[in-house]
Amino acid sequence: MPKSYTALKALENNLEASLYIHIPFCNSKCSYCDFFSVTDHSLMSDVLDKTIAQTAQYIDYFGIKSIPTVYIGGGTPTSLPLPLLERLLDFVGTLPLSDGAECTVEANPETVSPDLLTLLSSSCINRLSLGIQSFSKSTLKTLGRHCDFKTNFAKLELVKSKWHGKLSLDLIASVPHQTVSDSIEDIDTAVSFKPDHISLYALTLEEGTPLFRLYSGDLDAIDDNVWIIAADHLEVLGYRRYEVSNFSLPGCQSRHNIRYWKLKPYIGTGAGGVSTLHTGDGDLFRIANVPSLERYLASDGLLCGAETEEVAGKSYIFEYLMMGLRMTEGIDKSDFRHTFGREITDTIPETISEWKTRGLAVETENSVVLSRQGLLLLNQFLLDALSELE
Ligand code: SF4
């Protein structure tokens, strides 16, 4: 165990931390996905029991007294049979949730049923995040999605009639061969269901996935402008962008994800779950659970075979910039000062000055923000910042 781990426990006592629970099961594997999930459900019950036990152990060990947000993700949490999902939700309901805690569960349309919605409505879950991705037959086929477009429609209609909590929809744009009008049509259809929140991701070809093998040598099939134009369209329809890929109606941002981008502490449990806490020195401390069901089940002790990493110094500053600048509110100068004991404008002065001159960044009294165009060039800003940090 790293030396700072003891300091971590001491510091974290009475901690407010978010909770992420990873459920690494899906009904089928999508062709673009590199998340840790399996389609063999034979170890489901054992893995769930261990995940619940690990969550209870973490909360006790780190002295977590208040949980402002919970996110049950995966994988497809709703691929759990209802009695197992009920066991998990009952357990989450016993945790020290803050008043008004935001509790999200991810679902795929094919797993949505009246019984599922009844179960969620009677639990602590108050936000449903539905992986629609597209309503187009050909786009869904390219993505290797389990759901066809008719199921996406039908299950959304069911959700609208029976679910009274918050609703977020995931869409993907810039899929191979997808045109601007295909994506606009997806957005118009999604918006017709009046979700509170939409995540619109640009497809990334992740190495090792079937889609990468098919299209990494055929990049002409992918038009990055589709995502850019689709995102603009979403804003025209009244969904305000608050992060590179996230849009919401007023007051409906994902509080859980904002905590990630602000590097607030959270514990991540389950095989493949990741935690980010702070050491006694104020640096980041990351715990990455092993992405293997067999090794997760076979491991003992608090960490369940997890790998740990301390993120300090320049690496911490870089990660802070990388996450914080994703948000349209940018970086709060006083939070930077409080975290690192120095001004952001003294840390990367040349980068900020050059990007301001080019009209790609804005500095106010309280913040440093990338402009609309600057946000599209975030990676370049980070490269400039990195070379200045070194
Ligand atoms: S449903 Fe989600 S987690 Fe499962 S394979 Fe598809 S993209 Fe990956």
Side-chain angles (χ1 to χ4, degrees), residues 26 28-30 32-33 35 37 74-76 108 145:
C26 288
S28 64
K29 198 75 192 167
C30 305
Y32 59 94
C33 176
F35 295 131
S37 70
T76 308
N108 270 328
R145 293 289 292 173

Side-chain angles (χ1 to χ4, degrees), residues 47-57 87-88 91 296:
V47 169
L48 183 71
D49 285 346
K50 180 119 186 172
T51 302
I52 288 174
Q54 188 192 31
T55 308
Q57 217 176 352
R87 192 193 306 167
L88 175 63
F91 164 73
Y296 182 68

Side-chain angles (χ1 to χ4, degrees), residues 195-359:
D196 309 283
H197 185 278
I198 292 182
S199 300
L200 176 69
Y201 297 106
L203 181 83
T204 315
L205 291 178
E206 300 289 357
E207 228 172 310
T209 61
L211 218 58
F212 180 87
R213 287 192 284 281
L214 271 175
Y215 288 103
S216 55
D218 180 17
L219 294 180
D220 286 350
I222 298 174
D223 181 356
D224 294 337
N225 282 322
V226 171
W227 174 74
I228 294 171
I229 295 168
D232 287 347
H233 183 65
L234 203 39
E235 290 204 90
V236 170
L237 296 179
Y239 286 79
R240 196 182 75 79
R241 179 184 235 144
Y242 68 100
E243 190 265 353
V244 174
S245 308
N246 284 279
F247 304 77
S248 79
L249 296 180
C252 297
Q253 295 99 331
S254 162
R255 282 160 48 200
H256 186 85
N257 284 344
I258 287 174
R259 288 180 60 87
Y260 285 162
W261 299 317
K262 291 190 171 178
L263 296 179
K264 300 288 182 200
Y266 64 89
I267 55 168
T269 58
V274 175
S275 306
T276 299
L277 296 161
H278 296 269
T279 69
D281 299 331
D283 294 323
L284 291 186
F285 188 84
R286 186 149 290 134
I287 308 170
N289 286 343
V290 60
S292 153
L293 301 191
E294 292 74 16
R295 282 162 56 207
Y296 182 68
L297 286 174
S299 59
D300 287 326
L302 179 75
L303 292 184
C304 298
E307 290 192 353
T308 60
E309 177 198 13
E310 286 185 50
V311 182
K314 289 173 186 166
S315 304
Y316 185 8
I317 294 175
F318 182 74
E319 188 161 328
Y320 184 99
L321 295 173
M322 181 173 71
M323 299 300 271
L325 286 169
R326 298 186 64 85
M327 293 181 293
T328 53
E329 69 176 40
I331 285 178
D332 180 346
K333 285 179 174 175
S334 64
D335 189 71
F336 190 96
R337 189 182 312 122
H338 177 74
T339 306
F340 299 109
R342 58 202 284 193
E343 299 294 334
I344 185 172
T345 42
D346 295 336
T347 307
I348 48 165
E350 285 173 25
T351 306
I352 292 175
S353 162
E354 190 197 323
W355 280 63
K356 272 166 52 182
T357 306
R358 292 166 60 199

